[in-house]
Amino acid sequence: MAIIEVEHLCRSFDYYEKAGGIGGSIGNLFSRKKLVKEAVRDVSFSIEGGTTVGFLGPNGAGKTTTLKMLSGIMHPSSGEARVLGHVPWARKKDFRRRISIVMGQRSQLWPDLPAIESFDLNRAIYEIDRAEYRSTLDELVAAFAVEDQLKVQVRRLSLGERMKMEIIAALLHRPSVLFLDEPTIGLDIVSQRAIRDMLRGLNARFGTTVMLTSHYLSDIEDLCERIILINHGSVVYDGALSGVNATLADRKTVRLVLSEKLDESRLSSFPGYKSSDGSTAVFEVDRAKVREFSRKALDALPVADLTIEDMPLEEGIARLYRGEAPDA
Amino acid sequence: MPSLAPARKYGKCLSLGVKAGIEYRVNILFSIAGAISPVVIQTALWLVLYAGDPGAIMFGFTFPQMVAYTVIAQLVTRIVRTGFEYDVNYDIKSGGLDRYLVKPIGYFGFRIFSFLGDKLVQGAAIGALLAVSVVVMSTALGFATTAASVLLFVLALFLALAMNFLLFWCVSLSGFWLTEIGFLFEAVRIVIVAASGGILPLAVFGPDAERALKLMPFRFTIQFPTEVLSGRVPPSEMLPSFALCALWLIALAALGRVVWGRGIRRFAAVGS
C-alpha cells in the first residue's frame, strides 16, 4: 500500500536580481527585477510502506524542497501529495505525530538545551508514555554510544554527536515515516556506518518507511533498493538501484597501471580513453571488445598491471543527472 | 475523560521558560538596573517642575503620587517587557520554524508558555522589588494601597503580559514578509512604551490624546496596572476597563491568528 503519494507537485520561489557594487545597490532601491525559480517541477511518484527509497539529485535539484513539502513545512505552488493518508501541509496533529524529519544542515533540536532536555520536551510534545520513552531512549543511546553527551548543550556537540542526537530525537515517538535529508553529511566513516546500521535496523524491525537524500552513495547502496533521481526539479529516474547501471552493463572500465609515464596524446589515441594521471590510465570499453582492447593495449603500451571493472554507480547516476536515460 | 497530555506539553514549555529565566538571572539584574536611571531622571524632572509649588497638582498628580507612578510604571515596564519577538524573527528568517511545524505542538502555544515561564522568574524578582518599593513609598511618600487593589493589580499585570505578548506576536509575524525587522521592533517598542504611559502618564499628552489613548490597547500594558495598584482607577471604571482590555486581547489574538495563517503559507525556509 502506498504510504507516500505525490502527483504533479510544483514549487517555485520568487527572488530578485541584484546588480553588484554600490551603484547596483542604489539602483535596487528604485527598481528590482523579479525572477522565479522553479525548484520542483511536476514531480510525481509513490512509495510503498516499509521501504527505504533514496531521493537523489545534484545540489539545487529540489530534493530538500520536496522533503519540506512532504513533511508539511512548506506549501506547494501546485500539485497534490498524501503521506499516511494526510495532506502534509494541512499539518493535522495525527500526521505530525507519525512522521519525523532529520536535516543534516539544520537542527531539529533546541541548541541552548542539553540533548536530554530536548528529548524530554519531545516526550511531552509527542505524548509518549514514560516507560516506553525510557526504553526507546536507552536503546537508541546505547546504539549510538552517546550517553556521556546527553547532558551537554546541543550547540556544544560535535557534528557527529549532534547528528546522532538528531536521529534519536526523530525516532523517540517511533514514526511511521522518516524523512532524512543528508543525515550523514560531514560525518566520519564510523559515524556514517553507525547511522546506516541504525536505519537498517529500524526499517527491518518496525517497517518504517524511509525517504533518504544523500550525496554519499554508500548510504544509498547500503540502505535503498529503489531510488528516485531528480534534476532541475523534475524526476529523471525512478526505479531499482540496480537499474541505474543497466545500460552500462555492456560497458566495462579498464584501468591500466603503466610502467612509465606517457603523454595524454598517446593514450587518447586508444578508443574509449577517459582519463590519465600519467602513470594510470582509465578507459571505458564495450564488454564484447574488452579482450581485443586488452590485447592491443598490452602490445602497444608499457602496461605493468591491468584491471577490468564494472562501471561505477557514480557514472550511471552522473549520466542520469546529465539527462541520459538509462535505456538510452 | 479529557487527556492531560496537552496540558503537560505546554506545562513543559512553561518549565523551559522558567529554566531559561533562572539560567539568565544576571539578565534580570541588568533589567532592574536599567529601571533605575529612568526613575532618577524622571524624578529629577518632576522635582524641578514641582519646585515652585510643592503642593501643586499636575496632570492630576501630586508630587509624591507622580514619583510613585514613575517607580511603579518603570517596574511594570520591566515585568511586561518582551524579547521573544527576536526569536520568532530568527526562527522565520533562519528556517528554525521547521522544528515546530513538523511536531504536534502549536508554535504560538510554545512561545506564549515559554514567555510566561520566563516571566514567572522575572516577575518574582521584580515583584519582590516592587513590594519593597511600595513599603518604602508608603513611609516616605505616604503611598497607600489596599489588599483589593493588590489583587486587582495582579490580575491587571497578568493581562498586561498577555497584551504585550500579543502586540509583539503580531509585530513579529511581519518577519514573514520583511527580512530585517530588528529596528521595527525597537520603533514599535518606543511607541508602545510612550502610548502605554510607561514614560509619562497619558494625561501629560492632553485630554483629547488621553481619551483616544485610553481606547487603545497600549495603556493596558503599563498605565492601567500601575493605576490599579495606586488606587487611581475609580470603581465605576474598573469593570469597563477590564472588559475593554479583554476585548483587545480577543481582537489581537484573532489578528495574530489571521496573520500567522497568511504568513505560514508564504513561509519558505532557507535552502532547497
Side-chain angles (χ1 to χ4, degrees):
Chain A
M1 187 186 138
I3 292 290
I4 300 174
E5 295 169 291
V6 177
E7 284 180 37
H8 308 297
L9 205 61
C10 299
R11 172 73 204 213
S12 56
F13 296 98
D14 294 344
Y15 65 105
Y16 294 94
E17 192 176 65
K18 190 181 176 198
I22 292 175
S25 295
I26 293 170
N28 238 45
L29 291 173
F30 302 101
S31 79
R32 296 189 298 176
K33 187 178 175 189
K34 187 175 164 184
L35 301 170
V36 177
K37 176 180 167 57
E38 289 184 79
V40 173
R41 283 191 291 189
D42 197 26
V43 165
S44 300
F45 57 82
S46 71
I47 295 177
E48 297 294 308
T51 55
T52 299
V53 174
F55 193 51
L56 307 184
N59 292 331
K63 305 183 295 294
T64 303
T65 304
T66 304
L67 288 196
K68 282 180 177 172
M69 288 189 280
L70 294 183
S71 58
I73 292 170
M74 201 181 271
H75 283 249
S77 304
S78 63
E80 291 175 17
R82 287 197 169 265
V83 176
L84 295 161
H86 293 276
V87 174
W89 44 92
R91 285 194 291 273
K92 295 287 182 200
K93 193 176 169 190
D94 180 58
F95 166 75
R96 291 191 277 175
R97 283 168 63 99
R98 295 173 66 196
I99 64 136
S100 248
I101 182 165
V102 175
M103 292 192 259
Q105 316 231 39
R106 183 171 302 153
S107 181
Q108 297 292 303
L109 303 171
W110 284 265
D112 289 329
L113 298 179
I116 190 72
E117 286 270 4
S118 276
F119 298 157
D120 199 37
L121 183 55
N122 271 6
R123 181 189 64 74
I125 288 172
Y126 288 99
E127 301 167 22
I128 307 169
D129 171 74
R130 199 175 283 272
E132 189 188 328
Y133 163 77
R134 196 66 251 177
S135 83
T136 310
L137 181 64
D138 288 347
E139 186 185 336
L140 294 168
V141 167
F144 279 141
V146 287
E147 188 151 22
D148 292 342
Q149 286 83 44
L150 285 176
K151 292 178 182 169
V152 179
Q153 263 186 326
V154 168
R155 65 166 75 249
R156 296 181 196 283
L157 296 173
S158 71
L159 180 62
E161 289 164 348
R162 181 178 70 76
M163 278 316 300
K164 288 173 184 170
M165 299 301 186
E166 297 276 356
I167 291 175
I168 292 173
L171 298 181
L172 283 172
H173 61 288
R174 299 236 184 268
S176 303
V177 175
L178 180 60
F179 297 105
L180 298 164
D181 188 18
E182 300 190 33
T184 55
I185 191 165
L187 301 191
D188 61 60
I189 288 170
V190 177
S191 299
Q192 285 182 33
R193 195 169 294 160
I195 287 174
R196 285 202 290 268
D197 289 345
M198 167 62 66
L199 295 176
R200 201 181 300 110
L202 184 77
N203 189 250
R205 283 176 61 196
F206 303 108
T208 310
T209 307
V210 180
M211 199 169 166
L212 163 76
T213 83
S214 178
H215 288 299
Y216 298 127
L217 289 180
S218 312
D219 291 348
I220 306 299
E221 286 175 304
D222 267 20
L223 298 169
C224 308
E225 54 267 29
R226 173 185 166 198
I227 62 168
I228 298 170
L229 260 90
I230 184 170
N231 199 8
H232 301 300
S234 302
V235 173
V236 293
Y237 176 79
D238 181 355
L241 184 63
S242 56
V244 171
N245 272 8
T247 57
L248 301 176
D250 59 342
R251 311 286 289 169
K252 289 279 182 182
T253 296
V254 179
R255 194 179 303 273
L256 304 179
V257 179
L258 305 169
S259 56
E260 60 186 74
K261 288 203 167 191
L262 292 180
D263 285 345
E264 192 171 12
S265 57
R266 194 168 159 200
L267 292 167
S268 61
S269 64
F270 270 76
Y273 171 75
K274 298 296 284 184
S275 64
S276 163
D277 62 3
S279 56
T280 304
V282 179
F283 298 83
E284 190 184 313
V285 182
D286 275 354
R287 179 188 286 270
K289 294 182 179 169
V290 166
R291 184 185 292 267
E292 182 192 340
F293 173 87
S294 303
R295 194 166 46 238
K296 275 187 184 169
L298 288 168
D299 287 344
L301 300 172
V303 178
D305 194 10
L306 180 150
T307 54
I308 301 166
E309 302 157 3
D310 285 333
M311 295 292 288
L313 184 62
E314 286 90 338
E315 181 59 30
I317 288 176
R319 285 176 186 224
L320 289 168
Y321 285 175
R322 290 196 296 268
E324 298 169 28
D327 53 352
Chain B
M1 196 175 131
S3 167
L4 286 174
R8 286 201 199 101
K9 187 182 300 190
Y10 292 106
K12 192 81 194 162
C13 300
L14 193 81
S15 77
L16 273 184
V18 170
K19 283 178 195 166
I22 293 169
E23 186 154 348
Y24 301 117
R25 53 197 173 274
V26 176
N27 201 31
I28 299 172
L29 292 179
F30 283 128
S31 175
I32 292 170
I36 293 171
S37 59
V39 168
V40 171
I41 292 166
Q42 286 174 51
T43 304
L45 175 73
W46 293 123
L47 265 174
V48 171
L49 292 173
Y50 280 95
D53 183 3
I57 293 177
M58 285 190 202
F59 312 113
F61 290 80
T62 64
F63 176 71
Q65 285 171 337
M66 190 63 91
V67 173
Y69 180 92
T70 303
V71 171
I72 297 168
Q74 270 303 319
L75 292 174
V76 168
T77 303
R78 301 290 143 174
I79 292 174
V80 300
R81 188 184 168 91
T82 60
F84 73 90
E85 62 274 14
Y86 291 96
D87 297 328
V88 173
N89 183 35
Y90 182 75
D91 281 343
I92 294 171
K93 197 173 159 184
S94 71
L97 195 56
D98 293 359
R99 99 169 48 103
Y100 304 92
L101 297 181
V102 296
K103 292 182 167 70
I105 187 171
Y107 185 63
F108 175 82
F110 174 83
R111 281 285 162 220
I112 195 165
F113 280 96
S114 302
F115 170 74
L116 291 175
D118 185 31
K119 287 296 162 186
L120 275 178
V121 180
Q122 282 190 29
I126 300 175
L129 185 63
L130 182 59
V132 171
S133 304
V134 165
V135 172
V136 171
M137 288 190 300
S138 64
T139 311
L141 303 171
F143 177 82
T145 188
T146 62
S149 293
V150 171
L151 283 176
L152 287 170
F153 167 73
V154 172
L155 175 62
L157 190 61
F158 181 76
L159 296 178
L161 276 168
M163 186 75 78
N164 220 24
F165 177 88
L166 287 173
L167 283 167
F168 277 94
W169 169 253
C170 292
V171 174
S172 68
L173 296 182
S174 56
F176 282 120
W177 290 269
L178 305 169
T179 312
E180 195 55 67
I181 52 174
F183 285 118
L184 176 66
F185 293 148
E186 287 317 305
V188 169
R189 196 183 308 285
I190 289 166
V191 170
I192 290 179
V193 168
S196 63
I199 300 170
L200 300 166
L202 295 180
V204 171
F205 299 112
D208 291 342
E210 186 187 13
R211 255 194 306 279
L213 286 170
K214 275 191 160 183
L215 294 174
M216 308 298 282
F218 312 116
R219 78 171 172 114
F220 293 106
T221 63
I222 300 175
Q223 178 155 317
F224 182 63
T226 302
E227 291 196 323
V228 167
L229 184 64
S230 310
R232 293 181 61 85
V233 180
S236 61
E237 283 185 23
M238 195 65 84
L239 191 60
S241 294
F242 274 110
L244 182 60
C245 179
L247 278 177
W248 270 116
L249 286 172
I250 292 166
L252 286 171
L255 176 67
R257 201 177 163 86
V258 170
V259 177
W260 167 264
R262 297 213 173 156
I264 205 69
R265 283 192 67 85
R266 266 186 68 93
F267 178 64
V270 181
S272 58

